[in-house]
Amino acid sequence: MSMINYASREINCKIVYYGPGLCGKTTNLEYVYNKVRPETRGKLISLATETERTLFFDFLPVDLGSIRGFNTRFHLYTVPGQVYYNASRRLILKGVDGVVFVADSQAERMDANYASMQNLYENLAEYGYDPRTLPMVIQYNKRDLANAVNLGELRAQLNPDSLADFEAVATKGMGVFDTLKAVSKLVIKSLG
Amino acid sequence: MNPAATSWAFEAQDLERLDALLGAFLDGSQARCALLLDRTGRLLTAAGDDAGFDRVSFASLAAADFGASDQLARLLGEREFRSLYHQGENGSMYLVDVAGHAILAALFDARTTLGRVRLKTKAVVPEFASLFAQIAARDRTVGARLEAGWLTEVEDEIDRLFAE
Ligand SMILES: Nc1nc2c(ncn2[C@@H]2O[C@H](COP(=O)(O)OP(=O)(O)OP(=O)(O)O)[C@@H](O)[C@H]2O)c(=O)[nH]1
Ligand SMILES: [Mg+2]
């Protein structure tokens, strides 16, 4: 979970993008990397296969700067979505402060979305996290595609608890910052 | 596993003591650089000459590397691999677990040997471990000491930073 360093006056929070394979997690981070002021972010590290599928994780540190003497930093991670990589996925969840669940809006990915959400809960439970208290938001990505399921159905399937949720087209950046703003505020609030 | 075990609040005197231990380890081992990171990949402190590499990236990758090795150990029926060694042409890296709380990373070159580095980590790890146990036993609620108004200002900054 969070780390606060009263000596160097730093607060450090970990946000993980979770979701099925190819739903657009890496695309979210790439957009943030490209759009945020360069002096506020570090390197984007991607451990990926030759075909640009995430193999282990993507990592991007973003710095809010000093506020009332405390420097707040978010560490953004993505997990590999492919079912096969569960061991790596679980590892990346260690110490998570907030989750963005990225769903793929395409009709044929509904089962994969659902399975990935179950998998998230299982992996959180293994660490003893309570998914009901962990800051979490949902993003319905790929809203630009013709086979996208309507919003009501996505919500009914994936958001029974009415968490904050956002429609997105990550490739164009639509919804990417709104999602990140929402989860980072939830995380900050949870520190208090 | 207790999630709180990955949540930390470090006081100034904690850092002084961690730095003192790290400094002594550096002298004794003759490593070029030593870093202390938590198991989730956050840098806690460092000592020595890091030759200007990106420490934030280093911490995240090293913790993932260590975590993956740990899982490999379990897969093979070992309880854990307590340490990890990577050998390069000009420099090498030795990572060792600190009681599940942290990772001590030593970067060293031909001025010393793996044997010496390993010996010195064996000596210092229990000291780090007892310090972490003390820190972990304390109250770790973060919010208590943040000034009123801090939250609103952070929220405003989030809105400014994450904007098109
Ligand atoms: N049409 C469309 N394509 C998208 C959108 N977001 C991402 N993509 C594409 O979907 C593909 C997969 O995106 P990634 O970001 O790599 O997916 P991922 O979730 O990181 O996948 P894994 O690493 O395998 O878990 C890429 O070709 C993206 O360009 C979107 O909003 N609309
Ligand atoms: Mg990816």
Side-chain angles (χ1 to χ4, degrees), chain B residues 123-146:
Chain B
V124 79
V125 160
E127 299 192 51
F128 275 123
S130 83
L131 196 47
F132 275 105
Q134 290 170 33
I135 298 169
R138 281 198 314 247
D139 177 24
R140 278 170 283 169
T141 36
V142 168
R145 281 184 288 162
L146 295 168

Side-chain angles (χ1 to χ4, degrees), chain A residues 1-7 11-12 14 31 36-37 40 43 45 47 56-57 59 61-64 67-68 70 72-75 77 91 94-95 97 127-129 173 177 180-181 184-185 188-189 191-192, chain B residues 1-3 6-12 15 38-44 54 56-57 60-61 64-65 67-68 71 141-143 145-151 153-155 157-164:
Chain A
M1 300 247 133
S2 58
M3 176 183 93
I4 184 158
N5 187 332
Y6 289 105
I11 297 172
N12 232 307
K14 178 172 187 173
Y31 185 82
V36 88
R37 289 200 310 278
T40 64
K43 281 202 186 80
I45 292 179
L47 302 186
F56 200 170
F57 60 88
F59 169 68
V62 185
D63 219 318
L64 275 188
I67 295 163
R68 298 211 178 200
F70 278 96
T72 307
R73 175 178 276 164
F74 294 106
H75 283 181
Y77 283 85
L91 211 52
K94 190 183 175 86
D97 294 302
Y127 284 118
Y129 298 124
F177 276 144
L180 180 55
K181 269 190 243 179
S184 47
K185 286 179 187 176
I188 290 295
K189 281 206 188 91
L191 296 178
Chain B
M1 187 189 203
N2 173 13
T6 54
S7 182
W8 297 106
F10 292 98
E11 305 289 344
L15 258 291
D38 78 0
R39 295 293 299 254
T40 79
R42 292 174 295 216
L43 182 68
L44 303 178
D54 179 346
V56 175
S57 300
S60 148
L61 286 167
D65 190 5
Q71 295 300 313
T141 36
V142 168
R145 281 184 288 162
L146 295 168
E147 281 177 50
W150 178 81
L151 185 64
E153 280 185 40
V154 170
E155 289 187 323
E157 191 53 38
I158 286 171
D159 285 332
R160 266 194 294 278
L161 181 59
F162 301 139
E164 312 297 323

